Amino acid sequence: MHTGYRDQLGLSHYDILSGSEILGSHLENHVREKGKIELLDNTISKKDIDVLRALGYTEFGYARHNLRRKAWHIILRSQYVAEHNDKIQSTAKTVTHKDEKQIELDVNRSFNNLKNGPQRAYLRKVLQKLLIRFFRSNSELSYYQGFHDVLSIFILVFLNYDDDNTGEHVIYKVENIESLFYCVEAFSLLYLRDFLMPTLDFSIDQLKVIQNYILNKDEELYEKMQLDVIHPLYAISSVLTVFAHELKPTVDDQSHEIFEVFDMIISSQSMFLPLKIYATLFLQFKSDIITTYEVNIENFENEADLIHCVIQQVIQKNLYSHEIHNESFINAIKKVRLAKASEYTLTNVSDMVNVYSPLVTTARGESQLFTSEEINEIVGKQLIYHNKQQQLKIQAKERLLKPKSKHINSMLSIIGGHGSISPLIKASIAVAIVAILLRMNKNKRIIAGISTGKEFIGEIKHLHSSIFYSLKNSYWKDPLKIVLHTYKKLQNQLSSSDFER
């Protein structure tokens, strides 16, 4: 891994991006799109990576696809060097990947927004070839639904639009398939690894960063939406597809805002960008989210389901706009671009994601160069770490299940161990205990109850002598009273325990 680009003024790339005091303000206020195209053309011809990266983060991004694909290729080559073994690659081309059936299904659903049938068929063919080639070359990774949407953006950027032919059935074709594949592979391995694991666990961990942003910016909203306990499943579609599932550019719309997002991600080498944008949208639609939540709260038994539904519905409703350009999304991009880096600084990200996540390794917002050998090593370690985490989860579930029958049997043995007590009273106490367990389960506290089963058993053991002594001497008139009292004490213990956090 290599780091440390410096521009001709002695400023780091990060300095340029975070404040834009030098290039950013000049471009935002004085150089409009036409002027920027000229500047980009000149910068690309010089292959001035520092300036090129700074330009990609400012207004209009890389402006046009003929410039954009060149800029992406130049910058991604400064981040990733492929060192493919020809023998391994040749073998990989013939080995079927486990997810190819799902890939075929998703490809057949892609580019549906295009009216030109022959163009759509061509793009689907290219998309399938890219996906198959990528996963046969990186067979240890797993396909996820939505990955094809990400690759669709790359394909549109690499189409040759310089053909003078026009008409309804004109087919634009990919200009350089090898350059396209290089960019797809580099972007996927550097930025999307968390999403390409066998399960969604690492993806969910990354999405929790959104909730941390919300906490830092609006604690009231964070608490209202219970983001301390709600898993951010509502953001899966948007972030894992880098908004490509919601925002569908047409073939000839080279200035669509979705391309600016990819320009910003690649130029800053940061996978925090989609998370920042989503958090900004969340805050932007705060009023609508809260209103929709309050209107529907009586219609949902499960509040967590309601919260997921409301957040996803409100944000996607605004993203699935029929307008050519989505103003809400454009405003969110502007806010993220103009915000100071400190506004999105999270000191505890490393505690929220796995140690091999792009957020803390290959796409953390710093200029870095990785070889394919280094990436393969990271992928291997990340998969091992993932599998160990899965094994720990399985073991944890097994430990939770084992004590259950043990504690219940202990309670029953306490009751059944007193032969002098009437069978009717024993049955009453047994019914009470079952009722308590059912009540705990209904309140989603059965795990806490089982986990504190020793305390519950201890409480019953502590009380059982006096209970049965009282019963024996006919002093205890209500056989459920002390059992219910014990349950009430257990509830109080649980409400102050770690299980309630």
Side-chain angles (χ1 to χ4, degrees), residues 383-395:
L383 283 165
I384 291 171
Y385 185 79
H386 172 275
N387 294 336
K388 284 183 179 178
Q389 294 298 105
Q390 293 302 305
Q391 190 60 39
L392 288 173
K393 286 175 67 175
I394 293 171
Q395 292 172 359

Side-chain angles (χ1 to χ4, degrees), residues 7 19 27 104 132 218 316:
D7 74 311
L27 289 171
E104 182 180 0
I132 296 299
D218 192 330
Q316 289 199 351

Side-chain angles (χ1 to χ4, degrees), residues 218-473:
D218 192 330
E219 189 172 351
E220 179 186 0
L221 179 61
Y222 179 87
E223 292 177 355
K224 180 78 173 180
M225 292 293 104
Q226 303 177 36
L227 300 186
D228 56 329
V229 293
I230 297 293
H231 286 296
L233 301 174
Y234 49 79
I236 281 183
S237 172
S238 298
V239 175
L240 270 64
T241 66
V242 196
F243 302 100
H245 183 68
E246 290 91 354
L247 302 174
K248 301 285 188 181
T250 59
V251 170
D252 55 352
D253 186 4
Q254 300 185 42
S255 61
H256 195 283
E257 51 272 15
I258 188 67
F259 299 119
E260 277 195 57
V261 174
F262 280 79
D263 291 342
M264 292 169 69
I265 292 171
I266 292 171
S267 65
S268 63
Q269 199 166 345
S270 173
M271 198 54 193
F272 282 102
L273 262 297
L275 303 172
K276 295 177 184 180
I277 292 172
Y278 196 95
T280 302
L281 288 168
F282 199 132
L283 294 166
Q284 202 166 282
F285 301 134
K286 171 183 175 178
S287 178
D288 197 1
I289 288 172
I290 291 177
T291 300
T292 307
Y293 166 74
E294 291 177 343
V295 167
N296 290 280
I297 195 167
E298 299 298 328
N299 301 326
F300 280 74
E301 290 186 10
N302 189 319
E303 199 167 352
D305 289 344
L306 170 62
I307 292 171
H308 281 295
C309 181
V310 166
I311 297 171
Q312 188 175 50
Q313 177 187 342
V314 170
I315 292 181
Q316 289 199 351
K317 176 185 70 176
N318 285 279
L319 290 183
Y320 279 116
S321 172
H322 295 293
E323 302 171 2
I324 295 177
H325 294 284
N326 191 304
E327 288 301 322
S328 297
F329 193 75
I330 292 172
N331 288 335
I333 294 174
K334 288 180 178 177
K335 288 179 181 178
V336 170
R337 180 188 290 125
L338 297 175
K340 292 182 178 179
S342 59
E343 292 187 32
Y344 289 108
T345 298
L346 293 176
T347 56
N348 60 336
V349 169
S350 58
D351 297 329
M352 301 170 65
V353 298
N354 70 90
V355 294
Y356 304 105
S357 171
L359 294 183
V360 293
T361 55
T362 56
R364 62 185 185 184
E366 295 181 6
S367 302
Q368 301 174 90
L369 173 63
F370 295 86
T371 66
S372 55
E373 184 179 352
E374 289 172 323
I375 291 297
N376 289 337
E377 184 179 353
I378 292 174
V379 169
K381 290 180 178 179
Q382 190 169 13
L383 283 165
I384 291 171
Y385 185 79
H386 172 275
N387 294 336
K388 284 183 179 178
Q389 294 298 105
Q390 293 302 305
Q391 190 60 39
L392 288 173
K393 286 175 67 175
I394 293 171
Q395 292 172 359
K397 288 180 180 178
E398 290 174 348
R399 283 197 299 271
L400 285 174
L401 292 173
K402 285 181 180 178
K404 183 174 180 180
S405 59
K406 177 182 175 182
H407 290 322
I408 293 175
N409 289 337
S410 298
M411 286 188 282
L412 293 177
S413 68
I414 292 171
I415 298 169
H418 293 264
S420 60
I421 304 303
S422 163
L424 181 60
I425 294 177
K426 289 180 181 180
S428 297
I429 296 174
V431 168
I433 291 173
V434 171
I436 289 170
L437 292 173
L438 289 173
R439 176 67 179 274
M440 291 165 67
N441 186 52
K442 183 179 180 182
N443 292 336
K444 298 183 178 178
R445 297 164 70 176
I446 189 69
I447 293 177
I450 294 170
S451 299
T452 57
K454 289 183 179 179
E455 287 85 346
F456 197 10
I457 297 299
E459 188 69 32
I460 292 178
K461 284 182 176 179
H462 176 71
L463 294 172
H464 90 279
S465 296
S466 58
I467 292 174
F468 288 109
Y469 177 81
S470 301
L471 286 169
K472 189 174 181 179
N473 291 277

Side-chain angles (χ1 to χ4, degrees), residues 182-217:
Y182 184 92
C183 290
V184 162
E185 184 173 56
F187 186 84
S188 302
L189 294 175
L190 292 173
Y191 297 86
L192 305 179
R193 286 194 317 280
D194 279 348
F195 311 151
L196 293 165
M197 293 290 110
T199 72
L200 284 172
D201 285 8
F202 287 175
S203 302
I204 299 299
D205 290 342
Q206 190 176 134
L207 296 177
K208 289 176 183 176
V209 174
I210 294 171
Q211 300 182 162
N212 201 299
Y213 282 132
I214 302 297
L215 175 61
N216 289 346
K217 299 288 287 184

